[in-house]
Amino acid sequence: MIPSSGTAVLSEDTLVAPSERPEKAYVPHIVAWNLTKRCNLACAHCYISAGSWHAQESELPTDECLRILNEILELNPSPMLILTGGEPLLRDDLEEIAEAASSRGATVVIGTNGTGLTETRIDSLIGSGVKGVAVSIDSLRPDYHDRFRHGGGALSETQAAVTRCAQKKLDFVIQTTVTSGNRQELSDIARWAANAGAISFNVYFVVPTGRAERMKGMSATENEEVLKDLVSLEELYRGTMMVRSKCQPQIMRHVIEGGSDSPLLNYETRCPCGVHYVRITPEGKVTPCPYMPLIAGDLLTQSFKEIWETSPVFSDLREGELSGRCGRCEYREVCGGCRARAYADSGDHLGPDDSCAYDPVGDKPLVAVKQGMSYGQAVGKTSLEWTPEAYEKVQKIPSFVRGVVVERVEKYAHARGYEVVDMEVMTKVREDMPVDFSKKLPFFLGGGGRA
């Protein structure tokens, strides 16, 4: 409601879309969509076994993609939509799909190997409403990166693309798959990423699926050592660039044991797959995440809503009991292990994640999720009034981070004596908050068109 004074009271009823209210605990905040298996590279670890030999005819046509997009947006009008592949830049309709999503309130980002990000293509993506790209850099050594990606000159092409993104003010994330062959380089890659202007450095731990089934992953001991390094890197770059562990939620144990006030603690885990996060294959199948080829439903015969709300697979992941040492671990609510790796190793998506070096006895008190607002949590009652302009701005924030954003904006305003959240407050928040604030996304807090 908007009082006669011209200020809007931001309340649960006015801010939160019906699908995001607390009584609906499970919302598809992030949708990763593999639009194609076609790719100009053939990376050694590719979970989808992408390559140049795949046929375009096996992909969903544009009209089917737009139909599915409508179904997603009916369930959540403001998701984070990750359009990826294979190599999504090979789809001629990528911009059409991106524009259809962004124009209706989705935050659209592109996952790409980066080699096709020409100046013209970057302009085209920006014009279609794309807010950012995630590109892969696995080593600063061309011999390692190009061999790992099976593409001569891939490193130099991707690094040049990163420079172009920075020049065009298109936000980008650097993603690295860590192995025994490059783990000693992580600090160097992180430094390069930060200097290049990345908003995040995401380190992926191999899940043995797709072509990665043939890869020998790191030992549990090596994983532990890398996680400790990532905790240190997160502290080093906090406020400048986020550092994240992917497919290795065991980092939460290290953060909690270290007593850190890390922004990582704003993630309400277990694994978000099937809880806040979902993946669509090029053929229209729905799985919990890209690394878990366990079919939850088929969008050619079922609606997105039906699959999301009734799939037994998702019900297991949301409410099922973990087994083995993950089930007896005191960190099971804040970590819970990688469900995709458990499935790959044993066929049981609720089984133990044996990439972890920690062996719990089972007699320690449960480590509780951090109190307060977490990513993915809906906005409740607010304590300040918001002007219509500020209200409209916060409505554009992706649902996954909206609750955290509102909480931090109000905390900022309270600390400085503001009684109303207006565009001045929003601008000051944007200027003063570090990069870890709501996955950066500063363009939602005062414009600028950046992801």
Side-chain angles (χ1 to χ4, degrees), residues 365-414:
L366 186 68
V367 176
V369 176
K370 177 187 176 185
Q371 294 298 309
M373 186 63 68
S374 297
Y375 292 123
Q377 192 171 334
V379 181
K381 297 291 184 181
T382 56
S383 57
L384 293 174
E385 290 186 348
W386 291 59
T387 65
E389 294 80 11
Y391 165 77
E392 180 181 1
K393 188 68 70 174
V394 83
Q395 285 279 55
K396 296 179 180 179
I397 295 173
S399 59
F400 186 62
V401 298
R402 190 179 301 157
V404 172
V405 170
V406 169
E407 181 190 56
R408 294 197 184 182
V409 168
E410 291 210 336
K411 182 178 180 180
Y412 180 96
H414 274 300

Side-chain angles (χ1 to χ4, degrees), residues 230-434:
L230 292 182
V231 170
S232 297
L233 288 173
E234 191 280 319
E235 293 176 352
L236 176 64
Y237 291 105
R238 192 178 302 170
T240 302
M241 176 184 74
M242 294 181 295
V243 176
R244 294 291 182 267
S245 160
K246 299 294 184 178
C247 305
Q248 193 74 196
Q250 290 85 351
I251 195 170
M252 298 294 284
R253 173 168 53 84
H254 292 278
V255 171
I256 291 169
E257 288 178 349
S260 170
D261 189 27
S262 170
L264 288 171
L265 296 175
N266 282 113
Y267 287 88
E268 185 181 8
T269 52
R270 298 180 317 193
C271 174
C273 299
V275 180
H276 299 310
Y277 182 94
V278 67
R279 173 265 200 127
I280 301 172
T281 74
E283 303 83 14
K285 302 293 193 298
V286 176
T287 77
C289 82
Y291 301 95
M292 191 190 300
L294 179 61
I295 305 300
D298 187 343
L299 288 166
L300 295 182
T301 60
Q302 301 169 275
S303 71
F304 184 83
K305 176 181 174 66
E306 177 188 354
I307 296 169
W308 180 259
E309 294 184 348
T310 68
S311 169
V313 172
F314 292 157
S315 179
D316 282 349
L317 290 167
R318 295 164 187 171
E319 300 171 3
E321 295 293 329
L322 303 180
S323 63
R325 56 181 176 159
C326 283
R328 66 175 181 268
C329 183
E330 65 270 24
Y331 292 97
R332 61 186 177 272
E333 292 297 323
V334 295
C335 169
C338 173
R339 297 298 92 219
R341 189 175 294 104
Y343 179 75
D345 288 343
S346 67
D348 180 4
H349 51 288
L350 297 180
D353 177 0
D354 289 330
S355 71
C356 180
Y358 184 64
D359 191 8
V361 176
D363 60 355
K364 293 186 177 180
L366 186 68
V367 176
V369 176
K370 177 187 176 185
Q371 294 298 309
M373 186 63 68
S374 297
Y375 292 123
Q377 192 171 334
V379 181
K381 297 291 184 181
T382 56
S383 57
L384 293 174
E385 290 186 348
W386 291 59
T387 65
E389 294 80 11
Y391 165 77
E392 180 181 1
K393 188 68 70 174
V394 83
Q395 285 279 55
K396 296 179 180 179
I397 295 173
S399 59
F400 186 62
V401 298
R402 190 179 301 157
V404 172
V405 170
V406 169
E407 181 190 56
R408 294 197 184 182
V409 168
E410 291 210 336
K411 182 178 180 180
Y412 180 96
H414 274 300
R416 288 156 182 80
Y418 291 99
E419 296 181 355
V420 175
V421 176
D422 56 15
M423 290 307 299
E424 177 185 352
V425 174
M426 300 289 272
T427 300
K428 288 183 178 297
V429 169
R430 180 192 174 201
E431 293 172 349
D432 294 352
M433 283 289 184

